[in-house]
C-alpha cells in the first residue's frame, strides 16, 4: 500500500490545495475531512437541529450516512459538495465539530479511506484519526495570509467577499478549533511544522513530497 500522510492546520493554511496535489504526486487518494464535518453541519442545520440540542442531534446522527469519494460529498445520497462551501457553513461548522459524539461517529468513515494509503487533511489527523501515520505535517501561515487566500478564492469563484470579515471568521474558527476540549487543533509531537507564508503551492508540495520519499 502507499504511504499514510497527514496534514493538520488552521483554516486557510493551504491544506486542501497542497493535499490534493501531494496525493496525486504520491499516487494515493486524498481525503478532506473538513468536508465531512461541513456536510454534517450543513445537514443538521438544514434539518433545524442546532448544536446545543444533543438529544435530537444524537438521534439524527444515527440515521445520517456520509459518503466521500473523488471530491464529492453526499449525505444520505444527496450531493452536498457545493452547498458545504458557503460563508454560512464556515460560521457554523466548528460548533458541530466540537461535539464528541459527532467526532466519534465520523471516525470509522475517515479510517476506512486509508486502506491503500492516503493524504488526509484536517485538524486531528495526527493526534486522533491516524496516530500511526508515516508522515505528519502541521501546515500553517499567518492569519492575514490565510484570510487573504480564502478571500481571493471566493472572488475568483465570482462570489462576494469582504477581507475584514473573512479575517474575523478565520480567527474565530481557529479559536474554536484550538480551544475545544475534544480533539483540539494542535501540533502533534511527531509532526513537522511547515509555515507556508510567502511560499507558492508548488514549493510546498515539492518540499513535502521530498519529505515523504526520504
Ligand atoms: O478549509 P478550511 O481550513 O477552512 O476548513 P475545513 O478543513 O473545511 O474544516 C472546516 C471545519 O471543520 C474546521 O474549522 C473544524 O471546525 C472542523 N474540522 C475538524 O474539527 N476536524 C477535522 N479533522 C477537520 C475539520
Amino acid at each position: 500500500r502507499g504511504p499514510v500522510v497527514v496534514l493538520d492546520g488552521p483554516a486557510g493554511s493551504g491544506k486542501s490545495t497542497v493535499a490534493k496535489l501531494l496525493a496525486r504526486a504520491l499516487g494515493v487518494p486524498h481525503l478532506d475531512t473538513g468536508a465531512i464535518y461541513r456536510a454534517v453541519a450543513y445537514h443538521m442545520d438544514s434539518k433545524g437541529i442546532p448544536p446545543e440540542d444533543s438529544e435530537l442531534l444524537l438521534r439524527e446522527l444515527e440515521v445520517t450516512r456520509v459518503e466521500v469519494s473523488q471530491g464529492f460529498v453526499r449525505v444520505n445520497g444527496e450531493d452536498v459538495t457545493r452547498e458545504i462551501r458557503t460563508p454560512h457553513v464556515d460560521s457554523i461548522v466548528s460548533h458541530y465539530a466540537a461535539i464528541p459524539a459527532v467526532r466519534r461517529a465520523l471516525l470509522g468513515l475517515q479510517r476506512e479511506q486509508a486502506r491503500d494509503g492516503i493524504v488526509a487533511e484536517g485538524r486531528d489527523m495526527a493526534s486522533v484519526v491516524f496516530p500511526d501515520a508515516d508522515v505528519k505535517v502541521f501546515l500553517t501561515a499567518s492569519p492575514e495570509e490565510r484570510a487573504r487566500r480564502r478571500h481571493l478564492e471566493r472572488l475568483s469563484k465570482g462570489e462576494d467577499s469582504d477581507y475584514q470579515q473573512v479575517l474575523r471568521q478565520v480567527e474565530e474558527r481557529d479559536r474554536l478549533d484550538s480551544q475545544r476540549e475534544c480533539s483540539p487543533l494542535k501540533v502533534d509531537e511527531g509532526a513537522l511544522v511547515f509555515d507556508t507564508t510567502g511560499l507558492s503551492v508548488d514549493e510546498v508540495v515539492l518540499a513535502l513530497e521530498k519529505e515523504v520519499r526520504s
Side-chain angles (χ1 to χ4, degrees), residues 31-171:
L31 175 65
D32 173 1
T33 62
I36 299 175
Y37 285 95
R38 286 172 180 271
V40 169
Y42 170 78
H43 175 74
M44 296 300 170
D45 184 61
S46 309
K47 291 239 151 198
I49 303 173
E52 303 78 49
D53 193 338
S54 39
E55 202 174 309
L56 256 186
L57 191 79
L58 287 184
R59 212 178 308 150
E60 186 60 29
L61 263 182
E62 276 177 23
V63 294
T64 304
R65 193 169 34 85
V66 182
E67 293 162 89
V68 279
S69 77
Q70 296 171 3
F72 289 90
V73 193
R74 289 182 192 79
V75 181
N76 296 338
E78 185 201 344
D79 183 357
V80 297
T81 312
R82 276 176 61 87
E83 287 77 0
I84 62 172
R85 301 286 166 195
T86 62
H88 175 62
V89 175
D90 279 5
S91 70
I92 60 170
V93 59
S94 295
H95 298 280
Y96 290 95
I99 300 166
V102 170
R103 307 199 69 83
R104 221 176 304 126
L106 299 175
L107 207 48
L109 168 67
Q110 297 174 76
R111 288 186 176 149
E112 275 167 21
Q113 313 301 316
R115 278 177 299 244
D116 305 321
I118 197 114
V119 175
E121 47 155 318
R123 301 290 187 285
D124 61 342
M125 297 298 97
S127 56
V128 179
V129 184
F130 301 111
D132 300 326
D134 298 303
V135 178
K136 298 177 172 182
V137 179
F138 189 91
L139 275 194
T140 185
S142 68
E144 291 76 16
E145 168 117 357
R146 294 189 283 112
R148 196 177 58 84
R149 288 176 187 165
R150 189 51 47 99
H151 174 61
L152 293 178
E153 190 178 295
R154 290 246 158 85
L155 291 180
S156 76
K157 285 198 262 173
E159 296 166 5
D160 284 340
S161 185
D162 175 71
Y163 171 77
Q164 289 302 333
Q165 192 193 346
V166 175
L167 178 61
R168 275 197 303 274
Q169 254 191 14
V170 158
E171 288 178 329

